[in-house]
Structure formats: C-alpha cells, structure tokens
Amino acid sequence: MFMETRISIFVSLLISLLISVLILKEVVYEAQKCHNSNSCIYKNVLDTGLCWGYETNCPQHLGYSNAHCPGDHKGWVSSKHQQLQTFINQADFGFVKQQILSKTTMCAPTADGESLLECSSYLQFCRGKNLYLDFRDLSARKESFRYKMDVLKKGQIGGKCKLDKSRLHSEATHQSPLQSWAPEIQHFEELSDMVNEESQICDVFIDKPTFIMKIDAAVNMYHHFCDFFNLYTSLHVNETHSKMFSRDINILIWETYTYHSNFGITWSAFTQNPLMNLRTFQGKRVCFREAVFPLLPRMIFGLYYNTPIVWGCKESGLFHAFSKFILHRLKIPKRNAIDQVTKPKIKILLLSRNTQYRRILNEQALLDALRLSPRQYSVKRVEFTHETDFRHQLRIIHETDIFIGMHGAGLTHLLFLPDWAAVFELYNCGDEHCYADLARLRGIHYQTWTNHIKLKPQDEGHHPSDGGPHAKFTNYSFDTEEFIRIVNLAADHVANHPAYRHMLSHIRESTTGSQHLRSDEL
C-alpha cells in the first residue's frame, strides 16, 4: 500500500508537470524550446512517454488518467476490468477517443483548396475547412433569439466538396438545439464555387480558426460550465490541429443576444479575442478557413450533464485536466505558493445562500460549532453573487480543504478544489446524484446529510409551477452534533490524503528554509 501511494504521488507530480507543458500556446514549439534550454524545469518530463489517453500509441499506464473503481458496479458490468474501461469510455479520455474514432467525412475535397466537413456520430462534433455560411436572413429577424433550430435553411451552409448525402441524413437524427449540430449541418450542400479569400460568394472571410458555440444558461454555473467543459473536451477531439491549445481563435456564440455572464472571464482560458455572436454577421455571407462545431452541453449520452456513469468509479483524468487547465489559464495561484504558515489548519469554507430557498436557518450556530471545535479549523463563510469577481471566487475555492454548501449551482465550484479536498453537500434536497456524480468525476471526496431525523425543513416546500410539495423550495435547520460529525469525517479524509500530506511537507520545508535564511542574515 505504501509503495502504491508513493507511485501515485510520483505519477501525480509527473502529470502536473505534463499539464503545465502541454497547455501552453503551441505544444510542439514549447516542448522543443524546453528541450533546447538549459534552464527548463520540465525537461525531465519530455521523454517520459506520458500521454493523454486517446492517442493510438498511448499505453494505459502512461495516460493522464488516474481513474479507479473501488466501489461496487451494482450490476452494470461483469468484471472489475470492464467496470474501469466503461468508466474511461463514459467519462474520461476514452470518451474523447470514441468521438475521434467515430468521425467520418461528410463532404470530401477532390482537389487542393476545396472544402472539407467531417463529423462524429450524430453530428455531435463537426469541423470543416473553407466553409460557407449565409446569414443574410438574420437582418429580418428583429427579436433576439437563442436555442433556435431554423437559423439556417437549405443551401445556407456548404462548401465545394463531394457530399455524402445518405451519410449526412443517417447521422442527423438528434434534432434538438443543444443535443447536436443536426439542425444546422443537415442543410449542408455542395457549392460550385471555391470558398477562399478571393471568392465572390464571401462578403466576409474569417482566417482565424472559429469555434461556433451553442451555449446553455450562462447565468447558472452548473449549466454554463457544461459549455466550458465540452469546449475543452473538443480541443482534444480536434487533436490533429497543430495549435490545439492556441488562444488565437474566434468564438462565435450561436445566438443574437449580447453575451453577459459573471463567469465570462472563463472564455479567456480559450481565446484572447473578443466574443462574437450572430448579430456580428447578420446580412452577410461569411466564409471560414477553419470552423469547429464543438460538443454540446445536452448531448444524449454526452458528458457532464445528466450523464449515466457506471457505479463505483471516480477520478476522471479529463475532468482533472479541465480543472488544471482553467486554473492555469486564469492564473490562479497554487495552494503551496500562498499558504506559507508554520502550522496550517484545515480550511473550511461554507457557501451561504442569500436566496429565497435552501437557506441554512441555523447557519450561525453551525459556524460557531466549527470555530469551537477542538480540531481548530480555519473557518470562513462566503456569499458568491453575480457581482463577485469570478477569479476571486476561484482563488478562495482553490485555498479550501472542505467545501460546504446546500444543493445548488454554487457547488459546481467543487471542480476547482485541490485534489485532496472534500465537498459536503449539506443536503441534496432529494437530487442525490447531481453533485455526488460531479464530485466523483472530479475525484473529490463527497459527503451529504443522511439522517433525515436530524434536519428540520421550514415547511414542506412549494414548487413554483404546480404548488405541490418539493424539497428544493424551502429552508432547513440542521442538528449541530451531526453536522460536526460529518465535517470531522471530511477532515479525516483531507488529513490522510497523500497529496495534502505532501503539500504540508513542502510548506514545512519552505518555512524551515526561510527561517534558516533569516538566521544566517542576522
């Protein structure tokens, strides 16, 4: 067990170094520059053979994922091996590999410079070269819209290539705004004209690679981060691009509303350029040198939202990599760089809701009990509103060891907790899988309230649609002793986690080194 733990820590460290190299702007260029440098700290990683997991020559033991299945599969599969492989294919880089393998050419070029369109199964992901889109009809649509499936008509998307009409028709079966690109790609037609800078059919020619996004509710962190997660996943599905992690791309949001979201800074992890929407091009015929139609937030058997996941498994490498990618690109400092103290305490963060429903009625009593605990926790209460800077939110979350909150979109912050952290969904309000599954996908320890005798709802709750009783539409009081018992279990997990212990030893070494330096200077 000790050897396995040491190997796990070693692999985790190598993986952390790998992500720091690979998510830079131009992977191959940066790797070569590192190889030629005498001072590059990642040089020892370059020749290890580490890989993401979807490459054809990537052995499983060198892949990014640390997924494992300590729990019962509850009849999903017939063996442990099958359980793990199912999890990898459903929720890890195996999902990326399946998307890559399912890609087929819908419209093939017959000569240099012609168009190309290729898509994965059910048109969930598509990408093309030298594509034509006709937005002239949009000028007549005065009201702003989103989630419309009639933006394009027959012939308003196309290219000069040989179209496989039967294949396109057979794949265009998921007809829903956020399930696939079928509502748009089904109208693809062959053009007689070349699509390039000189083409008379192009009022505008876009040279930069452009990712065209249909997004979920931007006001809700859970739903909007499904957009960001699937965009990140799509960077991997688009893996043959020489600059797959470049920020010099366009993002075109497939709606006419002006984009507003407290989480909007997250786009800067993907692009350095201003966001565009359909109003940007209304009345024009637009041609794209490279266009990507990424994976969507509500795909059937997609990933993240309402995903059926085999029981008993956790720690998706894909979710882990997404977390590190966002934190790196938004320049959120690492915990060991901001916690230089002699005796670190386990840091508890309680996310308070200033809403009509799902408030903690005895919140102050719970906070007081935590502060009086003999375990001497460091306790903080926060409210995250639409005015709270999102980078500030991430800094606080990334400093947290135990994250406590009621069922709600704010728990999506768990994606950005340290690897050793625990999340305590104080009460799941009957929605038992949503954040429990998100936590196990991210590899974060999860706990929730189980003894219903020791919580007290304010009333039965009243659903706003039908007025019927509903657990999500009331407020709650919690037994203090039971609350502390569950927090202590979460603290035990944190204190015994190898990554937490490694972080503490690193802090102690840094602190000791600083003390020695000060004594030498005296």
Side-chain angles (χ1 to χ4, degrees):
M1 183 66 183
F2 176 72
M3 181 60 67
E4 290 178 357
T5 300
R6 293 194 63 181
I7 292 172
S8 176
I9 293 173
F10 177 70
V11 171
S12 296
L13 290 171
L14 285 179
I15 285 171
S16 296
L17 292 173
L18 176 67
I19 189 75
S20 298
V21 175
L22 290 182
I23 63 182
L24 295 175
K25 186 175 179 181
E26 295 183 40
V27 178
V28 175
Y29 170 74
E30 292 293 342
Q32 187 60 45
K33 190 168 72 171
C34 181
H35 182 77
N36 295 333
S37 170
N38 293 325
S39 59
C40 179
I41 62 174
Y42 304 119
K43 188 175 290 190
N44 63 326
V45 180
L46 295 178
D47 299 321
T48 60
L50 293 173
C51 44
W52 292 110
Y54 52 79
E55 303 90 338
T56 54
N57 59 345
C58 179
Q60 186 168 323
H61 70 284
L62 293 177
Y64 186 97
S65 177
N66 193 34
H68 55 288
C69 302
D72 184 4
H73 55 70
K74 298 185 181 180
W76 266 69
V77 291
S78 58
S79 67
K80 272 291 179 185
H81 173 76
Q82 193 178 17
Q83 182 186 17
L84 177 59
Q85 194 57 53
T86 300
F87 181 76
I88 289 171
N89 290 340
Q90 286 177 332
D92 210 325
F93 282 110
F95 179 84
V96 173
K97 187 171 186 176
Q98 289 181 323
Q99 288 286 335
I100 293 171
L101 293 176
S102 75
K103 282 191 295 191
T104 56
T105 301
M106 297 293 167
C107 200
T110 58
D112 289 345
E114 289 192 347
S115 305
L116 166 71
L117 176 68
E118 59 180 358
C119 299
S120 65
S121 296
Y122 305 112
L123 310 181
Q124 291 179 329
F125 170 95
C126 295
R127 66 179 178 183
K129 295 184 178 181
N130 301 321
L131 298 188
Y132 164 90
L133 279 81
D134 186 351
F135 297 124
R136 287 177 292 180
D137 286 356
L138 293 184
S139 298
R141 301 177 73 157
K142 302 303 181 185
E143 293 185 2
S144 296
F145 65 83
R146 60 170 58 99
Y147 310 138
K148 294 293 185 181
M149 296 197 295
D150 61 350
V151 176
L152 299 178
K153 302 181 183 67
K154 203 71 175 173
Q156 291 184 328
I157 179 171
K160 183 172 175 54
C161 46
K162 183 62 177 175
L163 179 63
D164 189 334
K165 294 181 181 179
S166 61
R167 175 173 288 170
L168 178 60
H169 177 75
S170 67
E171 296 289 355
T173 55
H174 291 186
Q175 293 285 344
S176 184
L178 298 180
Q179 284 183 0
S180 83
W181 290 98
E184 294 74 33
I185 301 296
Q186 67 180 346
H187 299 304
F188 197 96
E189 285 193 347
E190 295 181 20
L191 302 179
S192 56
D193 296 310
M194 293 284 284
V195 179
N196 54 40
E197 299 97 319
E198 289 78 36
S199 299
Q200 295 298 309
I201 63 170
C202 304
D203 299 317
V204 179
F205 187 85
I206 306 298
D207 194 55
K208 290 185 193 300
T210 300
F211 284 69
I212 301 173
M213 300 282 298
K214 292 192 288 190
I215 64 174
D216 209 326
V219 71
N220 181 293
M221 186 178 181
Y222 180 84
H223 289 283
H224 203 11
F225 268 82
C226 193
D227 301 317
F228 295 127
F229 175 80
N230 277 287
L231 176 56
Y232 175 76
T233 303
S234 298
L235 299 182
H236 289 277
V237 179
N238 194 40
E239 99 291 2
T240 57
H241 196 285
S242 61
K243 299 180 180 179
M244 61 185 283
F245 288 111
S246 171
R247 290 176 64 249
D248 193 15
I249 63 167
N250 293 322
I251 290 178
L252 168 61
I253 299 178
W254 197 258
E255 58 186 54
T256 56
Y257 283 97
T258 301
Y259 175 84
H260 293 291
S261 176
N262 183 238
F263 312 110
I265 191 64
T266 310
W267 291 113
S268 67
F270 299 94
T271 181
Q272 65 196 31
N273 301 312
L275 297 179
M276 302 182 293
N277 68 15
L278 291 176
R279 290 288 185 216
T280 308
F281 299 118
Q282 67 178 13
K284 294 184 171 68
R285 298 168 298 173
V286 184
C287 299
F288 298 89
R289 184 183 301 280
E290 296 180 60
V292 178
F293 302 82
L295 299 167
L296 291 159
R298 301 205 183 194
M299 298 180 296
I300 297 174
F301 298 117
L303 190 48
Y304 184 127
Y305 181 80
N306 279 346
T307 307
I309 308 168
V310 64
W311 291 99
C313 302
K314 58 184 179 180
E315 292 191 46
S316 162
L318 180 56
F319 275 81
H320 185 274
F322 168 70
S323 175
K324 301 307 179 186
F325 173 85
I326 297 296
L327 293 169
H328 172 84
R329 284 283 174 93
L330 296 187
K331 297 180 171 58
I332 306 303
K334 293 181 181 179
R335 171 72 172 272
N336 59 10
I338 56 179
D339 194 19
Q340 304 289 330
V341 294
T342 306
K343 294 181 179 179
K345 298 178 180 179
I346 288 179
K347 295 185 174 184
I348 296 176
L349 182 71
L350 187 141
L351 181 62
S352 182
R353 289 175 64 90
N354 185 19
T355 54
Q356 184 176 0
Y357 302 116
R358 279 172 273 156
R359 285 182 288 111
I360 306 167
L361 296 175
N362 62 332
E363 180 177 274
Q364 190 58 52
L366 300 184
L367 289 168
D368 289 343
L370 285 174
R371 292 182 175 120
L372 292 172
S373 168
R375 298 187 70 156
Q376 297 184 315
Y377 296 124
S378 171
V379 182
K380 187 172 184 176
R381 172 194 175 274
V382 295
E383 287 182 23
F384 291 152
T385 71
H386 296 299
E387 285 74 45
T388 309
D389 178 80
F390 186 60
R391 272 203 184 103
H392 175 67
Q393 295 181 36
L394 290 182
R395 290 189 191 101
I396 292 173
I397 290 296
H398 203 48
E399 293 177 19
T400 298
D401 300 315
I402 301 174
F403 180 41
I404 304 172
M406 287 287 286
H407 179 84
L411 287 178
T412 310
H413 286 91
L414 69 85
L415 289 170
F416 305 104
L417 288 167
D419 293 345
W420 59 77
V423 60
F424 177 10
E425 184 176 17
L426 193 50
Y427 183 45
N428 61 33
C429 300
D431 190 352
E432 59 181 308
H433 298 299
C434 182
Y435 294 102
D437 280 348
L438 194 61
R440 69 183 175 110
L441 286 167
R442 170 59 185 87
I444 296 298
H445 181 72
Y446 172 88
Q447 294 192 237
T448 191
W449 203 273
T450 56
N451 189 339
H452 288 204
I453 297 174
K454 295 188 176 184
L455 66 81
K456 184 178 180 181
Q458 190 173 31
D459 54 38
E460 65 179 2
H462 302 284
H463 196 283
S465 297
D466 57 22
H470 200 292
K472 291 184 181 180
F473 298 96
T474 188
N475 304 305
Y476 293 88
S477 297
F478 297 87
D479 179 84
T480 303
E481 290 185 6
E482 179 67 5
F483 172 76
I484 293 296
R485 185 188 71 82
I486 297 174
V487 170
N488 287 342
L489 290 175
D492 290 341
H493 166 82
V494 171
N496 293 316
H497 195 286
Y500 181 77
R501 295 163 73 92
H502 176 79
M503 184 269 294
L504 288 187
S505 65
H506 177 81
I507 290 173
R508 290 183 183 121
E509 289 172 5
S510 300
T511 305
T512 302
S514 299
Q515 291 172 342
H516 287 166
L517 179 63
R518 285 194 295 271
S519 64
D520 291 342
E521 290 175 340
L522 291 175

